[in-house]
């Protein structure tokens, strides 16, 4: 299982928010153990910053919405490195990081901090944080959240005689809401213990620390109705489209795409689990000043809004949503009218317990 969970989730759920033209405009070339690409336009005076991201259509969207405009404004060229956590951490420990700025999950950033692999941030050099209105709990000593994806419920609108599931309790109620279910396995995302506890009446603000025993008891009640465990972003949509299930957990960015294809589905954001992506600076970064400038630029509200237009990504910036049309905003789970319906993943709890929970989940799934 990869540490860069959110990165991989973003990569897998690149659902057409970026055109083929944008992807084709991204120049790829081998660089070390990862992949590097240079921002269009080049830098003035030879200034460069190297940023790590996960590539794919998400990387292409970053190129369009962030890197190219940054180079045009500052004259600093952006080189991109697609590298997994393990080799990047090894480079940092050796004092030779290939990248300066790291775009990664906040969970991965927390792991990096525990290994002394990130620079402590000088927030006075990231002035956009205040104007962008980024949630305070996503501003840490070493990393700042820039976007999130939400895990939520998707359902067929033609399956329940006009009734709409409103909660995770409804997801578990196969009497009132008949049909098969699908949930993720640990190759797709964190085990969905929170949803089981919400279904059993635990309030969102009382979820953590998770009651693992209770969660598995609740999961067991639904086990016979779970027809398939999904491990990639497209699969819930496939199962719903084929009517193999009537409800599934899903990444929120998938639903709008399915609806455009004419699939009778909708999402329910009550009890959505948020996981954030963010920026940090590698310990010993060679281009520290440029890294701060790119971080500051990337966290601007207008930059996050531009990225949301290019990829189904929910800005961390509350101000970014005011820069989107009503139609664009309505598709995003981070919009003000939806935000309070969900909760933030407790990273510290999962870092301590993910391995044990995953082992137990695999045993439970095998029956």
């Amino acid at each position: 299982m990869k540490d860069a969970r959110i990165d991989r989730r973003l990569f897998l759920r690149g659902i057409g928010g970026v055109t083929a033209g944008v992807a084709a405009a991204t120049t790829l070339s081998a660089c070390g153990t990862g992949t590097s690409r240079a921002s269009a336009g080049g830098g003035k005076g030879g200034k460069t910053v190297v940023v790590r991201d996960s590539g794919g259509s998400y990387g292409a969207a970053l190129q369009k919405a962030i890197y190219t405009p940054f180079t045009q404004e500052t004259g600093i060229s952006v080189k991109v490195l697609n590298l997994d956590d393990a080799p990047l951490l090894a480079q940092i420990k050796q004092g030779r990081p290939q990248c300066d700025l790291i775009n990664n999950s906040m969970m991965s950033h927390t792991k990096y901090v525990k290994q002394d692999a990130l620079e402590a941030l000088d927030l006075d050099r990231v002035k956009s944080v205040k104007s962008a209105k980024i949630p305070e709990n996503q501003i840490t000593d070493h990393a700042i959240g820039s976007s999130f994806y939400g895990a939520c419920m998707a359902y067929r609108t033609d399956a329940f005689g006009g009734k709409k599931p409103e909660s995770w309790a409804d997801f578990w109620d196969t009497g009132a809401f008949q049909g098969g279910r699908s949930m993720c396995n640990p190759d797709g995302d964190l085990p969905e213990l929170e949803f089981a506890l919400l279904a059993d009446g635990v309030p969102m603000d009382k979820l953590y620390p998770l009651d693992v025993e209770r969660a598995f008891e609740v999961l067991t009640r639904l086990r016979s109705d779970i027809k398939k465990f999904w491990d990639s972003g497209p699969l819930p949509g496939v199962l719903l489209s084929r009517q193999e299930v009537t409800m599934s957990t899903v990444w929120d960015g998938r639903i709008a795409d399915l609806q455009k294809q004419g699939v009778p589905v909708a999402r329910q954001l009550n009890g959505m689990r948020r996981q954030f992506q963010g920026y940090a600076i590698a310990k010993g970064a060679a281009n520290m000043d440029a890294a701060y400038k790119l971080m500051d630029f990337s966290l601007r509200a207008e930059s996050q809004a531009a990225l949301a237009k290019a990829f189904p990504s929910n800005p961390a910036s509350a101000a970014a949503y005011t820069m989107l049309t009503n139609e664009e905003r309505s598709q995003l789970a981070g919009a003000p009218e939806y935000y309070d319906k969900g909760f933030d993943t407790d990273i510290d709890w999962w870092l301590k317990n993910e391995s044990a929970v995953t082992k137990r989940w695999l045993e439970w799934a095998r029956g």
Side-chain angles (χ1 to χ4, degrees), residues 286-303:
N287 303 293
M288 189 80 68
D289 186 60
Y292 268 110
K293 288 180 178 178
L294 179 54
M295 178 187 285
D296 187 60
F297 185 93
S298 299
L299 292 171
R300 290 179 186 175
E302 55 267 35
S303 297

Side-chain angles (χ1 to χ4, degrees), residues 154-156 158-160 178-183 224-230 234-248 263 265:
Y155 62 94
R156 287 193 64 95
D158 59 355
F160 312 122
Q178 297 182 2
R181 305 292 196 260
S182 180
M183 298 182 75
S224 62
D225 294 290
I226 301 175
K227 304 306 179 185
K228 189 172 183 64
F229 294 106
W230 57 269
L235 190 51
V238 171
L239 296 172
L240 288 162
S241 298
R242 293 176 178 172
Q243 302 187 56
E244 294 183 34
V245 300
T246 57
M247 286 195 215
S248 179
V263 181
V265 294

Side-chain angles (χ1 to χ4, degrees), residues 10 58 145-149 275-278 304 307 313-317:
L10 287 166
Y58 177 56
S146 59
S147 63
F148 75 86
Y149 79 92
Q275 295 189 60
F276 278 81
Q277 184 90 357
Q304 292 189 43
L307 181 59
S313 172
N314 297 290
S317 164

Side-chain angles (χ1 to χ4, degrees), residues 152-184:
C152 63
M153 178 198 312
Y155 62 94
R156 287 193 64 95
T157 57
D158 59 355
F160 312 122
K163 292 186 296 183
K164 297 179 181 180
E166 299 290 344
S167 67
W168 289 110
D170 291 339
F171 189 90
W172 257 256
D173 189 348
T174 54
F177 297 92
Q178 297 182 2
R181 305 292 196 260
S182 180
M183 298 182 75
C184 80

